[in-house]
Amino acid sequence: MPSAAYGGPVSEHQQTPRHVVIAGAGMAGVQTAVALREQGFTGTVTLIGAESHQPYDRPPLSKAVLLGKAEGSAFDIDFADLDIDLRLGLEAVALRPADREIDTTAGPVPYDALVLATGAHPVTLPGAEGVPGVHLLRTLDDALRLAPVLERRKTVVVVGAGWIGAEFATAAREAGCAVTVVEAAERPLGDALPAEVTAFMAGWYAERGAELLTHARVATVRPGAVVLDDGRELAADAVVVGIGARPTTGWLAGSGIALDPDGAVTADDRLRTSLPDVYAVGDCASFPSARYGARLLVHHWDNALQGPRTVAADILGALPEPYDPVPYFWSEQFGRFVQYAGRHADADGTVWRGDPSSEAWSVLWLRGGVPVALLAVGRPRDLAQGRKLIESATPVDPERAADPAVPLKAAVR
């Protein structure tokens, strides 16, 4: 059972809060508000968003919005109909738990229960702040600023060959831009996947006409150029920085709330924080996983979708099951649909399904014969079946699982 430091279990006699304030109007915040109403909460729900735009979904930003195929990606939610008090253009700047208030740029907002859903912000490239032509890609405004760059087929340098760098490079090449991707590590996605997997992904860049430079560190960025630390100079009408994100929790300084070394709020297995009646969900929060024996910080859409249901249930005193999902995400890059489920860090075996030099293949990671993670490239059925095996901890026969013609569900022991 979670420790008393995380608020303890909710008594069936405990009064449901009358006013729930949600700080952050991204996916996690919006879904928390919706989940509260779906689960029967009849009190006041106040949803605070720092941006002035109607709350929107982020995945289309690096695809349809960036390519000018859509002007936005607002959620199809009638906040007024759900009686959700939506306050936009308000940034949370401080939390005062003793007063049960958060301070915003428009003044204090009192709460009975508070949900932290402020997400994450992109890491900037040192020395590049304020240089004309340097862009980040996190918000709708970022995408709208970048769309004309692609429309005019500019020469682009992308710093970082992670998920966002690959997705932007894909869109830029589709638009006809000349693209060079600069990666400090020896391979793309070095922090996310093992070398034997990313070795095949590195070739995807050249296939689509993008140049990938690894072991390449940026020394200086100036208008029109990126200079590497080995002296190479890359022409750049625009520079897009995709080198990671950090939880947006700086505004919580002085509140007494517990943070982990990454700066994420340390929530428990019901997404309660170290402060009474304060929850944290989505990109700004880490949570303990009994499934993987580790605390997880998951910066992906699916986590922001699932976590709010647990938060809403706990606020309503429903004693939800511990929050311990199988992490999942997807990425569309270089003509391929890439999906990943689970966590491969502690695997002791690997099973390949299909030829990784082909258009469709997958990798299954095992621990003691039980699937713990799966990466699927162009094989969505593998992902769907593999995710269920991971969730149920069902052992598989490695030899049968290695045959791509055998459905994974038919490879169980």
Side-chain angles (χ1 to χ4, degrees), residues 245-383:
R246 298 286 183 270
T248 301
T249 55
W251 68 282
L252 297 170
S255 68
I257 200 164
L259 304 179
D260 67 19
D262 292 313
V265 178
T266 53
D268 71 356
D269 61 5
R270 299 225 299 272
L271 301 180
R272 300 172 299 182
T273 75
S274 59
L275 297 178
D277 301 311
V278 179
Y279 298 77
V281 66
D283 291 1
C284 72
S286 65
F287 57 90
S289 170
R291 184 191 310 277
Y292 292 106
R295 176 166 285 276
L296 304 184
L297 175 59
V298 181
H299 283 186
H300 294 299
W301 185 91
D302 192 64
N303 178 51
L305 177 67
Q306 293 195 60
R309 299 166 191 158
T310 296
V311 170
D314 200 79
I315 288 174
L316 285 162
L319 297 177
E321 291 294 315
Y323 184 65
D324 196 3
V326 172
Y328 166 74
F329 69 88
W330 79 94
S331 177
E332 296 178 60
Q333 52 183 272
F334 306 111
R336 293 166 171 86
F337 185 47
V338 182
Q339 296 172 283
Y340 179 92
R343 182 175 184 268
H344 65 270
D346 298 320
D348 56 22
T350 304
V351 176
W352 291 83
R353 290 171 56 80
D355 181 355
S357 64
S358 68
E359 292 292 318
W361 50 277
S362 60
V363 184
L364 183 67
W365 285 273
L366 308 176
R367 185 172 64 229
V370 175
V372 291
L374 184 137
L375 173 78
V377 178
R379 291 182 65 96
R381 182 174 297 179
D382 276 7
L383 190 287

Side-chain angles (χ1 to χ4, degrees), residues 115-138:
V115 181
L116 308 176
T118 45
H121 58 276
V123 176
T124 58
L125 185 65
E129 297 92 335
V131 176
V134 176
H135 300 263
L136 301 168
L137 180 52
R138 179 77 182 183

Side-chain angles (χ1 to χ4, degrees), residues 67 151 172 174 219 233 236 336:
L67 290 168
E151 184 179 2
E174 184 177 334
E233 185 169 319
R336 293 166 171 86

Side-chain angles (χ1 to χ4, degrees), residues 6-139:
Y6 286 88
V10 177
S11 165
E12 61 180 312
H13 303 295
Q14 181 173 323
Q15 186 176 5
T16 301
R18 296 185 302 275
H19 185 193
V20 177
V21 174
I22 304 166
M27 169 64 84
V30 166
Q31 289 301 320
T32 300
V34 171
L36 282 166
R37 291 301 189 220
E38 288 179 344
Q39 295 182 31
F41 181 69
T42 58
T44 302
V45 177
T46 300
L47 179 60
I48 296 172
E51 296 183 57
S52 58
H53 301 291
Q54 280 291 114
Y56 58 87
D57 205 4
R58 293 191 188 278
L61 299 185
S62 60
K63 305 170 184 70
V65 176
L66 196 57
L67 290 168
K69 298 177 181 179
E71 293 183 357
S73 56
F75 292 115
D76 185 18
I77 295 172
D78 189 332
F79 294 97
D81 186 59
L82 290 173
D83 194 22
I84 294 169
D85 179 17
L86 179 61
R87 304 186 190 180
L88 300 176
L90 269 66
E91 184 177 357
V93 296
L95 167 59
R96 292 181 286 109
D99 299 322
R100 287 183 172 263
E101 288 184 341
I102 63 169
D103 290 327
T104 74
T105 47
V109 178
Y111 67 84
D112 292 322
L114 173 65
V115 181
L116 308 176
T118 45
H121 58 276
V123 176
T124 58
L125 185 65
E129 297 92 335
V131 176
V134 176
H135 300 263
L136 301 168
L137 180 52
R138 179 77 182 183
T139 68

